[in-house]
Amino acid sequence: MKNLQGMVSFVESATAGSFTAAASRLDLTPAAVGKNVMRLEQELQVRLFNRTTRRLELTPEGSAFLEKAREALRLLDEAVTDLGTYGAEAVGRVRISTGVSFGRRFVLPALPALTARHPRLEVELSLDNRPVDLIAEGMDMAVRGGVMTDSNLIARRVCALHSVLVASPTYLHNHGVPTTPADLAGHRLLGLRFTSGKVSPWRFRADTEEGFIDWTPQAQIWTSDPESFLDLALAGEGICQAGLLYAAPHLRAGALRLVLHGQYDNGKREIALCYPHRKLLSKRVRVVVDALLGAFASEEDLQLDIADAPRAWCADTGAHAKQQ
């Protein structure tokens, strides 16, 4: 393969969706990008794109070639970076994808110390709650929550992702404390609906084959950001599902209480730092992985186990009747 410039133009065009957008990234003209791709097609003797006046559409051959071309360019970039900085400090840009709440609370605070230690390192943090394809979107790593199933990624465990039901003492005083999941029907509920439209169910322990049942809350207010409706719960507006790591400071302060603790099933999800599976990890990525894992390990709220929740964090079920 002699046409490296053609491969770069092809990958950028496929990623950006047009020669014009790729040209902006590569500091070339759209015509030059188009010619580079055409020469690559001639060299490979296969059409990579079907072109229309409005967009580029990958052919089946183009789709198959794209994944391997991306990985080849990524490995080449890492080889050049590592060779140029061997025995020296980390150099280059590292792109990290993470959810909005986790990124603001735990990732962003760790970055100033990291970049101070490595002044030639550039870190780009993308805060987004949608699922991200690391390879397709050019990310070096991501912090993800859930059940890790992608075998193409290395997943370094950060912590358990316990979820809880919480409400403010004021809300519970005014509306009563539910003692069974059935009691929730008479309460004001705050629900989580992801940008994909999928609703996050509330899971309760049950005498079933699975050991639990999933229940969809009949909420009046919905949000796609898990932490944002903690503000509503703190204001006494209802009961919400939240990650323990986000609710913990408010539970310690007495501003929130656990609802249906012991009946609510916290699940077996986890938060992990993920990056593409490679035999060799570039120095710039390696130092960021190590720094973040070290920072996460020192965060008290990331080490919490819901089984050890103090009794003081739980709602007083003796006050379940509505106070007049």
Side-chain angles (χ1 to χ4, degrees):
M1 169 65 66
K2 299 179 180 179
N3 194 350
L4 181 60
Q5 191 174 34
M7 185 184 291
V8 172
S9 294
F10 163 67
V11 170
E12 290 293 342
S13 298
T15 302
S18 71
F19 290 152
T20 300
S24 178
R25 296 186 183 190
L26 297 173
D27 196 23
L28 296 171
T29 66
V33 172
K35 288 180 180 178
N36 289 340
V37 173
M38 186 179 298
R39 292 191 190 101
L40 178 62
E41 289 177 323
Q42 291 171 349
E43 180 179 334
L44 297 174
Q45 295 186 341
V46 67
R47 180 176 289 275
L48 300 172
F49 288 119
N50 287 320
R51 300 159 174 80
T52 69
T53 56
R54 293 186 177 180
R55 63 177 182 174
L56 295 175
E57 184 174 330
L58 284 165
T59 64
E61 294 82 5
S63 295
F65 183 61
L66 177 60
E67 182 178 351
K68 294 181 179 179
R70 276 198 179 115
E71 185 63 13
L73 291 176
R74 186 185 292 270
L75 290 172
L76 179 60
D77 177 64
E78 289 181 357
V80 172
T81 299
D82 285 349
L83 184 61
T85 60
Y86 185 78
E89 61 184 338
V91 176
R93 182 175 63 165
V94 175
R95 302 185 68 205
I96 308 169
S97 171
T98 186
V100 176
S101 299
F102 192 91
R104 292 180 62 183
R105 175 88 182 277
F106 299 107
V107 180
L108 199 58
L111 299 185
L114 170 63
T115 53
R117 290 196 302 272
H118 303 280
R120 298 180 65 191
L121 185 69
E122 177 186 347
V123 180
E124 179 181 328
L125 182 63
S126 176
L127 300 174
D128 200 325
N129 289 334
R130 66 180 176 84
V132 172
D133 185 325
L134 269 67
I135 295 175
E137 299 188 35
M139 295 292 174
D140 293 290
M141 67 188 72
V143 182
R144 293 179 169 176
V147 179
M148 301 299 114
T149 59
D150 192 339
S151 60
N152 293 316
L153 300 177
I154 298 294
R156 304 281 297 276
R157 188 178 189 274
V158 173
C159 65
L161 181 54
H162 294 302
S163 58
V164 292
L165 296 184
V166 294
S168 71
T170 299
Y171 174 85
L172 296 171
H173 175 83
N174 292 335
H175 299 274
V177 179
T179 57
T180 69
D183 292 341
L184 292 172
H187 282 269
R188 186 174 175 85
L189 309 179
L190 310 171
L192 178 64
R193 177 180 283 127
F194 299 105
T195 53
S196 65
K198 182 180 179 181
V199 171
S200 177
W202 295 5
R203 177 167 290 183
F204 295 97
R205 295 171 184 168
D207 186 18
T208 63
E209 183 177 347
E210 296 82 5
F212 61 84
I213 57 170
D214 282 339
W215 183 77
T216 300
Q218 300 302 306
Q220 292 179 281
I221 301 176
W222 299 89
T223 181
S224 62
D225 178 29
E227 190 176 16
S228 62
F229 57 164
L230 278 174
D231 294 335
L232 290 177
L234 288 165
E237 295 298 330
I239 300 172
C240 76
Q241 179 192 61
L244 178 61
L245 64 161
Y246 305 124
H250 308 298
L251 291 166
R252 285 196 196 93
L256 291 176
R257 292 285 186 266
L258 295 175
V259 175
L260 296 176
H261 182 55
Q263 298 182 64
Y264 181 78
D265 189 306
N266 308 107
K268 298 180 179 180
R269 297 178 299 159
E270 64 181 7
I271 292 178
L273 177 61
C274 306
Y275 47 89
H277 195 326
R278 299 193 193 95
K279 293 181 179 179
L280 296 175
L281 195 64
S282 67
K283 186 169 185 176
R284 61 184 171 82
V285 174
R286 188 183 306 114
V287 298
V288 177
V289 168
D290 291 345
L292 290 181
L293 290 176
F296 297 155
S298 66
E299 289 283 353
E300 179 183 1
D301 288 345
L302 294 181
Q303 316 310 319
L304 290 173
D305 188 331
I306 188 60
D308 300 327
R311 184 175 180 82
W313 288 11
C314 302
D316 181 5
T317 54
H320 63 276
K322 180 177 178 179
Q323 303 295 317
Q324 301 295 329

